Amino acid sequence: MSDPPLRIRQALPYKIRDLSRRTRKESEICSDSAEYDFEYSDEDCLEHELAELYAYSETADLQGCQSSFEQFQSSLDSSQNWYTLSHSGKKKVVSELLEFFEQSDVVHHSLGTQCILYLLQGKYDECNTLSECINNSTDNAFLVYECGFLPVLLKQIHVQLQEYKTENRQCDHVEDSYSMRMLLNALYTMMCLIKAAEDESVQEKKCAFFKELSEPMHGYANLGLFMLEMIYSFEKGLSILPIKKVTLIFWKYLLATLGNMQDIADKKTKIRAENGLAPWVEPKDLPPSQWQVLQPQFPDRIPPSELEDNDSSNLLCENGEHSRRLPWKPKARQADIELYLKTCRQKFLGYQLEGDSTTMVGLPDSIQEGVKILQQHLYVSHGDIAMRHEEKMCNTPKRNRKILFFHPPAEDLYRAMLPKMEDYIIALLKVLLASASTPLSKAKTGGSLNVLVDVLPEDPNPIEPQRLQKDLNRHKEIITKAVSASLLLLLKHFRLNHVYQFEFISQCMFYANCIPLVLKFLNQDMNMYVTAENSIPSLDFPTCLFYIPPPTIGHTIIETHDTMSDDVSPKILCWRNLFSTINMLRIIQKLTKWRPPRTMMLNVFKSPPILKKTLKISHWLVHLYVLKLFKLQAKYLGKNWRKANMKILSSIYQHVRHRLLDDWAYGSDLDTRQWEAPTEEQKLKATLQLYHAMWYKHLLPDTSQLPELPAHIDDEATTDDVQKFIDECDVELPKDFESNYKVWLQREVYDKEHDWDAVLQRFNYKFSCDDNC
């Protein structure tokens, strides 16, 4: 509908024109197009994950591996088919390949790597179908691992890295990093194939493989720390390292050794049960087929026939209408209950009971009923248990202190990363910045890393410009996917292990400007980004091994999509780009949750218009996390913004979990005082320094900034003397002393003055402590 003429618009009352304009703006918040067919998971299918390892400019390397293996096979004087050999015969061939690495000649090392990589690729010249090639690759991966190839491979990667560091070698094109790329290709392929294996007969080997990756290797605590050191070296100028392959290996290492999202949820449930916390039960678990009824922004677009077909009685109200109830119930914190009681006691009774959240004498019945409702929705996380434990340990002598952590693999990784945690986080964020920068923003960013150097061929002239541009864009998208997923996994696993570890890495990311980086990534045409067509299926590995692409494949793909009619063409979606977008939103949501100073930074960096543009992505999970971010900062956006964006506020009410007594929809002076923001971060930093000083002081390279622990905690001699004195005292106490000892202490000890030195001399004992005891 077109706007009315100017003279008619001027005749309309101001409020009517304002309402019309506001309605038109709100209608543009969400896209009316069909939702993307996308299911968020930890990773894509195996074929796609293997394909993303190779750039299109590395196609010639595949032929080189095949030629090397044929050369090696001819030297054996054996023309027998690989898959007709017995298992012992295959092991004998692999053992002969491993002998190449025992020689000092680099040529033999390269030949051995190429031949084994060819086996890991499935020895595709003897395969007829793609599925057969994948199955053979999996079998060969377990075969070479059984023959002991993994330690040899890790040693070769370490030697190659030290050689690059010594020579400070730089990279100008993809051919310069050939040796390292072959080694990393073999490692990544082994990890993906073994991780994806589901056969019961290989589960023991699978666990042993990833356990071996978690063990110390060549001066590093585990493979994850080794990959982080390579990323850090790349950030410091060692551009010859193939950064895409390194980030992919680090991401797969986290998934395999720490666990995926489902493993985190299962471990969290187990931790709650072990610590006496009741399981948090949502109203009713829904099958995935019924989740769409509750998906944000889309319930009105579901055809009535689909709603009638769903056997979901839990979605029906008493009158037969469909309920808009969320699949989760509201939560309340212990601090909310205490604040509520404090306010009500002051209002109705005029007194306070510090630390008492149970006494409700004198309060009205309505207030008591409100407290009961809050207690019914009380949620105590295992992070609260960890914080209470640390508070207790701060007042406990050193000899009696016990460290608390819930996730041993994450604890090992945290200890390994802690000495250079800030450096590793900055390196990851710099790589993410270089890969996630749009062409428009790249021109404004100086000194960013060049992550495209291991894609550019030595002579780009024979390659079509469109194909090369697709390859470069695809390369950046894969790095963004790997780094964003790695950062999210680190946050999730450290949060599961100990809340203070999560807070430390969150603060490192906050100080490294992670929030403006994510907002910079989101400040683009996100619909165009998640539908970008930078993949050429005919050139993807391993499809390219079975199909010969036409010479004009780049033009052909573009013309095919352009000529398809809108009525029959499916909605094109790039899985990795939508995956990266959701990861970015989840990261920024975790950094700002329960942190008002960081939430205010969202407003400082003008996030509301950026997030509103992100709502145009037609997927319910994107909408959910964007609405969560709006809920966090709604109170800081002002009355006029809330008045002009009522549709967003209504969506938050309908689709986001609520906290009882949460004042997110209106401003509160206590929460919006910006001058207290630096103080809160400083308090958090001091708490984290005390945590590290208590448990990880021996791991930190610089302990000058750590606080000194109280004397009664660190004075080991005084504690031993007191315990020895107590053990030597052999005094028989009356039977009723246990029930009346508090009265005796008050009357005989606290209310009287004593010469304690004289008392100790009666027992011929004297403490050997200084004046500070």
Side-chain angles (χ1 to χ4, degrees):
M1 180 178 178
S2 60
D3 293 336
L6 178 61
R7 60 179 181 275
I8 298 180
R9 291 204 307 267
Q10 292 177 346
L12 291 174
Y14 172 76
K15 290 187 177 181
I16 296 179
R17 285 189 282 121
D18 180 66
L19 178 62
S20 176
R21 188 183 306 112
R22 190 187 315 160
T23 304
R24 184 167 63 253
K25 288 182 178 180
E26 290 181 354
S27 65
E28 298 173 356
I29 291 177
C30 300
S31 174
D32 292 330
S33 57
E35 185 179 2
Y36 292 117
D37 184 13
F38 172 84
E39 182 179 354
Y40 183 81
S41 59
D42 297 283
E43 54 188 345
D44 205 349
C45 62
L46 177 60
E47 291 79 4
H48 292 171
E49 294 295 337
L50 291 175
E52 292 179 348
L53 174 65
Y54 299 93
Y56 296 147
S57 57
E58 298 181 64
T59 308
D61 297 341
L62 302 176
Q63 301 174 356
C65 294
Q66 181 179 0
S67 302
S68 299
F69 188 84
E70 292 174 352
Q71 177 184 352
F72 166 73
Q73 196 173 23
S74 63
S75 64
L76 297 178
D77 296 331
S78 174
S79 59
Q80 189 175 2
N81 190 303
W82 168 261
Y83 294 109
T84 60
L85 290 174
S86 62
H87 184 72
S88 58
K90 293 179 181 178
K91 291 182 65 175
K92 182 179 179 180
V93 174
V94 175
S95 300
E96 292 183 6
L97 288 174
L98 293 180
E99 292 178 359
F100 285 176
F101 297 97
E102 298 178 2
Q103 303 182 22
S104 59
D105 189 2
V106 179
V107 177
H108 284 83
H109 294 176
S110 179
L111 179 62
T113 304
Q114 292 174 353
C115 293
I116 293 182
L117 179 58
Y118 180 61
L119 292 178
L120 293 173
Q121 292 169 350
K123 202 177 186 301
Y124 45 82
D125 65 324
E126 300 179 9
C127 301
N128 297 322
T129 62
L130 183 62
S131 58
E132 182 184 357
C133 180
I134 295 295
N135 293 334
N136 293 337
S137 298
T138 304
D139 295 338
N140 293 339
F142 282 102
L143 174 66
V144 297
Y145 170 64
E146 186 179 350
C147 294
F149 176 61
L150 181 60
V152 175
L153 177 61
L154 296 177
K155 180 181 178 181
Q156 291 298 316
I157 296 175
H158 179 261
V159 170
Q160 195 70 45
L161 176 62
Q162 296 303 317
E163 180 181 343
Y164 288 165
K165 287 183 176 181
T166 303
E167 300 177 1
N168 194 20
R169 195 179 302 177
Q170 301 302 313
C171 182
D172 297 326
H173 45 78
V174 66
E175 285 78 7
D176 291 341
S177 58
Y178 180 82
S179 300
M180 181 64 80
R181 283 191 294 107
M182 291 296 101
L183 295 170
L184 296 179
N185 287 344
L187 178 59
Y188 179 83
T189 305
M190 284 185 66
M191 294 177 66
C192 286
L193 293 172
I194 294 178
K195 180 179 180 298
E198 298 180 355
D199 192 353
E200 292 294 335
S201 60
V202 297
Q203 294 304 311
E204 185 176 352
K205 295 180 181 178
K206 180 178 177 180
C207 296
F209 174 78
F210 289 108
K211 182 180 179 181
E212 189 171 350
L213 292 180
S214 303
E215 295 176 352
M217 47 163 290
H218 306 291
Y220 299 96
N222 47 53
L223 178 64
L225 188 68
F226 186 30
M227 293 297 108
L228 282 173
E229 191 64 31
M230 294 180 70
I231 296 173
Y232 176 69
S233 300
F234 179 83
E235 184 262 334
K236 289 301 180 182
L238 197 62
S239 61
I240 196 172
L241 297 176
I243 190 62
K244 183 188 75 173
K245 302 179 189 299
V246 175
T247 54
L248 284 173
I249 292 175
F250 179 64
W251 171 42
K252 294 298 181 180
Y253 171 83
L254 295 179
L255 276 176
T257 58
L258 300 187
N260 54 28
M261 296 299 176
Q262 185 59 46
D263 296 332
I264 293 175
D266 296 340
K267 182 67 175 178
K268 184 177 179 181
T269 303
K270 182 179 178 181
I271 291 173
R272 292 184 62 83
E274 292 175 349
N275 289 272
L277 299 177
W280 183 258
V281 181
E282 301 294 358
K284 195 167 187 179
D285 294 333
L286 301 179
S289 60
Q290 298 174 13
W291 256 92
Q292 58 182 349
V293 182
L294 300 170
Q295 291 174 0
Q297 304 295 338
F298 295 103
D300 297 333
R301 301 187 192 137
I302 300 178
S305 59
E306 295 186 18
L307 291 176
E308 294 174 0
D309 294 339
N310 288 331
D311 183 14
S312 52
S313 58
N314 58 316
L315 298 178
L316 297 178
C317 301
E318 295 179 358
N319 57 4
E321 296 180 358
H322 287 276
S323 171
R324 295 309 178 103
R325 183 182 56 170
L326 296 175
W328 42 72
K329 62 181 180 181
K331 292 181 179 180
R333 297 183 301 168
Q334 183 64 33
D336 298 333
I337 300 177
E338 295 176 357
L339 179 62
Y340 182 66
L341 280 174
K342 179 180 179 181
T343 304
C344 294
R345 287 168 180 163
Q346 187 64 36
K347 178 179 179 180
F348 293 101
L349 304 177
Y351 70 89
Q352 299 295 334
L353 293 176
E354 297 295 338
D356 189 337
S357 59
T358 57
T359 303
M360 292 181 285
V361 177
L363 294 177
D365 294 341
S366 59
I367 300 300
Q368 297 184 27
E369 186 67 23
V371 174
K372 291 181 180 178
I373 294 175
L374 289 174
Q375 291 175 344
Q376 291 175 359
H377 293 81
L378 178 64
Y379 179 77
V380 180
S381 67
H382 70 283
D384 298 329
I385 294 179
M387 287 189 288
R388 288 198 294 265
H389 174 81
E390 298 305 326
E391 292 176 0
K392 180 181 178 181
M393 291 299 102
C394 285
N395 298 315
T396 302
K398 185 176 181 180
R399 65 192 302 271
N400 296 328
R401 292 204 304 261
K402 295 181 180 180
I403 189 171
L404 176 68
F405 55 85
F406 301 105
H407 192 15
E411 177 69 17
D412 296 338
L413 182 62
Y414 185 80
R415 289 173 177 268
M417 293 177 59
L418 184 59
K420 298 176 65 175
M421 179 72 77
E422 294 90 344
D423 296 335
Y424 293 146
I425 296 300
I426 291 175
L428 285 170
L429 292 179
K430 281 190 175 182
V431 173
L432 182 61
L433 173 64
S435 61
S437 298
T438 60
L440 180 61
S441 61
K442 186 177 180 181
K444 302 178 182 179
T445 306
S448 61
L449 301 177
N450 184 6
V451 297
L452 303 176
V453 68
D454 55 333
V455 182
L456 296 174
E458 185 175 6
D459 184 13
N461 293 328
I463 301 179
E464 298 178 9
Q466 287 182 322
R467 171 182 161 179
L468 180 59
Q469 186 61 44
K470 283 177 176 288
D471 199 5
L472 296 176
N473 294 338
R474 174 177 176 269
H475 184 80
K476 294 171 62 176
E477 292 170 0
I478 296 171
I479 296 177
T480 302
K481 164 192 169 182
V483 177
S484 62
S486 300
L487 290 173
L488 181 61
L489 284 174
L490 288 175
L491 289 171
K492 295 281 290 184
H493 282 287
F494 288 156
R495 177 68 176 82
L496 180 66
N497 187 46
H498 199 289
V499 63
Y500 284 161
Q501 296 180 3
F502 164 79
E503 295 292 352
F504 180 59
I505 189 175
S506 299
Q507 194 169 67
C508 291
M509 295 173 65
F510 174 68
Y511 285 153
N513 290 327
C514 181
I515 292 178
L517 190 157
V518 174
L519 293 176
K520 182 178 182 180
F521 167 78
L522 297 174
N523 190 20
Q524 58 178 313
D525 190 342
M526 295 306 299
N527 261 327
M528 183 179 296
Y529 180 74
V530 299
T531 58
E533 301 177 61
N534 291 317
S535 294
I536 305 176
S538 298
L539 296 182
D540 286 340
F541 175 88
T543 307
C544 62
L545 306 177
F546 299 91
Y547 301 98
I548 301 176
T552 58
I553 184 65
H555 301 288
T556 303
I557 287 180
I558 297 174
E559 292 172 1
T560 300
H561 288 304
D562 289 342
T563 56
M564 293 175 67
S565 62
D566 295 336
D567 297 334
V568 298
S569 62
K571 196 160 187 180
I572 302 169
L573 172 67
C574 182
W575 192 95
R576 60 174 170 267
N577 287 356
L578 186 51
F579 176 75
S580 302
T581 302
I582 296 175
N583 288 342
M584 292 287 200
L585 292 171
R586 297 185 69 180
I587 288 172
I588 196 173
Q589 191 262 346
K590 289 186 175 299
L591 293 184
T592 54
K593 186 178 180 181
W594 302 119
R595 293 295 168 193
R598 301 177 189 174
T599 304
M600 285 186 282
M601 295 302 295
L602 292 176
N603 194 17
V604 171
F605 291 113
K606 299 180 175 59
S607 68
I610 298 175
L611 295 176
K612 284 182 66 175
K613 291 193 301 182
T614 309
L615 279 175
K616 295 181 180 180
I617 300 177
S618 301
H619 193 269
W620 69 274
L621 198 56
V622 175
H623 292 185
L624 177 63
Y625 285 106
V626 171
L627 292 177
K628 284 186 176 184
L629 290 172
F630 273 124
K631 181 173 180 270
L632 288 175
Q633 57 179 322
K635 67 176 68 175
Y636 307 108
L637 297 177
K639 183 177 180 180
N640 293 333
W641 186 92
R642 295 193 291 270
K643 183 179 178 182
N645 295 272
M646 289 303 298
K647 187 173 182 179
I648 293 180
L649 299 184
S650 300
S651 299
I652 294 173
Y653 271 113
Q654 295 175 6
H655 308 300
V656 181
R657 186 200 299 273
H658 297 286
R659 297 272 178 170
L660 300 180
L661 302 180
D662 192 359
D663 59 347
W664 66 269
Y666 57 89
S668 174
D669 293 338
L670 295 177
D671 293 333
T672 57
R673 291 184 291 188
Q674 299 185 7
W675 55 85
E676 293 186 356
T679 306
E680 289 193 24
E681 288 295 329
Q682 291 173 2
K683 289 181 180 179
L684 176 61
K685 185 176 182 180
T687 303
L688 297 176
Q689 287 179 343
L690 182 61
Y691 170 72
H692 288 143
M694 189 178 301
W695 306 115
Y696 306 105
K697 190 174 183 179
H698 62 287
L699 297 175
L700 298 176
D702 183 14
T703 59
S704 59
Q705 301 297 328
L706 296 180
E708 294 292 336
L709 296 177
H712 71 279
I713 297 181
D714 268 354
D715 196 345
E716 194 75 35
T718 303
T719 306
D720 293 340
D721 289 341
V722 172
Q723 187 65 39
K724 183 178 178 181
F725 172 70
I726 295 174
D727 295 339
E728 291 179 355
C729 293
D730 187 12
V731 179
E732 294 185 3
L733 299 174
K735 296 181 179 180
D736 59 345
F737 181 79
E738 184 176 354
S739 58
N740 300 318
Y741 76 94
K742 293 184 179 180
V743 179
W744 179 84
L745 283 174
Q746 186 67 34
R747 185 179 67 241
E748 300 294 337
V749 179
Y750 299 142
D751 295 343
K752 293 183 179 181
E753 295 184 0
H754 297 276
D755 186 359
W756 295 109
D757 292 334
V759 174
L760 293 176
Q761 288 177 0
R762 291 174 54 189
F763 293 94
N764 297 323
Y765 190 88
K766 185 176 181 181
F767 285 123
S768 58
C769 60
D770 52 18
D771 297 336
N772 295 327
C773 293

